[in-house]
Amino acid sequence: SSLYIIFFIILNFYLSSYISDYSRDFSNYSDWFDQIYYSGFWENITGKDPGFKTLVSFIQLFLGNNYAYIYFIYMMLIFFFKYKFSREVFSGISLLIFFWIVFCSTFVLYEITQIRVGLAIAFASYIIIISIYNKPSFWTWSLLLLSYFFHQSISILLICYLVLIIFNKQLINRFFIIGMLLLGLFVNVFFQDKLSDFIGFYLMSNERAENYLNGVENLSKISLFSFFFLSKIIIIAFLLFYWEFLSKAKRAIVFLSALGCFFYMVFMFNGVFAVRVSELFILFSLACFVFPLELKVINKDLKYLWLFILFILGGVFLYSSSKILLDYAI
């Protein structure tokens, strides 16, 4: 893990130094950084994503409005909380392969591009995983509330976690998870148009949601046959088959992954909505891919085979995300 940390410090330092060449969102963020730098304290602690603005203004207070420094600190914070999440769930070879698929799947998405929601997801996921393996406390809820101020979309993850805490015994059940996924499929097949009209009507006054609903962000049409979605469904089905061999904490993680798939199906009428909401659960979904390596009932040879498949799968994710990054840089 020490080599992993050193590697990321060097990589983050290099990319933050040339961030204008690699981040598709750089022009938007640079304008925002300038606005924050010349705004007063009250303006920065109110309005859109005050946690993000406050943190940026704090960095600017000591280092000035240097985009490279701001990006580097943000990238290291996102890395830190993903690293802490990983250490809470895995150890040994499982930890290393989880590092690999998390890096391949999320580095370009979070550390380089969507840094606000990237930090919110990494931070909230880490706090949730701590309370899953331990008991939630006052500080748990306080820190989760803090994550909301970095990006409002994280409220969906927080509400889902609150429901999970209240109805733990009813929800952490493989038959409920199967039913939830079937319900998502049913809604996807029969109610997409009605749901689109309903959500469009109630969110039309929300500027950020309206941008997504109107297709401001370019995203190719998605389907139930997307590779990542099908992969998540297959691994969830596999873990449901071995449900009795999973700990309570791992069952909770499987539920959260299935919840991300449920939202993906339900919101498929709008590609951005579907992907953005399902991404909130991405660290839990990726953790599920590694769980088979820790099942004692699985043959060692099959575990080695799965380890190799995960390495290849990570390479596929890395190639896909790097191609987007390099195409933009060119």
Side-chain angles (χ1 to χ4, degrees), residues 66-264:
N66 187 306
Y67 305 148
Y69 291 151
I70 297 171
Y71 263 94
F72 177 75
I73 292 173
Y74 246 86
M75 293 167 79
M76 289 307 301
L77 285 173
I78 295 169
F79 159 74
F80 174 76
F81 289 115
K82 289 196 297 187
Y83 174 80
K84 294 293 287 184
F85 178 97
S86 306
R87 294 300 297 263
E88 285 292 323
V89 185
F90 298 109
S91 61
I93 192 66
S94 297
L95 178 64
L96 293 177
I97 195 64
F98 184 66
F99 282 162
W100 168 245
I101 61 174
V102 167
F103 166 70
C104 295
S105 304
T106 68
F107 183 75
V108 173
L109 179 64
Y110 291 164
E111 278 91 334
I112 297 177
T113 310
Q114 303 170 11
I115 61 173
R116 285 180 299 127
V117 73
L119 180 57
I121 291 173
F123 182 61
S125 298
Y126 169 59
I127 301 303
I128 288 173
I129 207 68
I130 288 177
S131 59
I132 284 178
Y133 277 88
N134 301 286
K135 289 185 177 181
S137 64
F138 169 79
W139 288 109
T140 299
W141 299 113
S142 299
L143 293 172
L144 287 175
L145 181 62
L146 177 62
S147 69
Y148 168 80
F149 294 108
F150 284 100
H151 202 279
Q152 293 178 7
S153 67
I154 208 70
S155 60
I156 297 173
L157 179 58
L158 304 188
I159 292 171
C160 291
Y161 178 64
L162 177 61
V163 173
L164 175 61
I165 293 297
I166 297 174
F167 301 101
N168 184 278
K169 292 183 179 180
Q170 292 81 6
L171 300 181
I172 309 302
N173 181 296
R174 63 176 155 187
F175 297 108
F176 180 86
I177 293 174
I178 293 171
M180 179 176 67
L181 292 174
L182 290 176
L183 175 62
L185 179 61
F186 180 78
V187 172
N188 177 273
V189 173
F190 296 105
F191 292 99
Q192 285 293 284
D193 292 337
K194 291 182 179 179
L195 191 60
S196 177
D197 294 339
F198 176 81
I199 291 182
F201 176 77
Y202 281 98
L203 293 182
M204 62 188 302
S205 60
N206 186 306
E207 183 179 352
R208 183 178 296 182
E210 189 178 6
N211 286 340
Y212 293 154
L213 291 170
N214 291 335
V216 169
E217 296 192 12
N218 293 322
L219 188 69
S220 59
K221 187 176 180 181
I222 60 173
S223 72
L224 286 174
F225 300 101
S226 75
F227 176 74
F228 189 42
F229 173 76
L230 285 178
S231 299
K232 289 191 291 184
I233 290 293
I234 291 171
I235 199 63
I236 288 171
F238 178 85
L239 294 173
L240 290 176
F241 183 79
Y242 289 98
W243 188 253
E244 62 271 21
F245 299 100
L246 300 177
S247 65
K248 290 183 179 180
K250 289 181 178 178
R251 291 178 181 181
I253 293 172
V254 173
F255 168 78
L256 290 171
S257 176
L259 201 53
C261 293
F262 169 80
F263 284 126
Y264 180 89

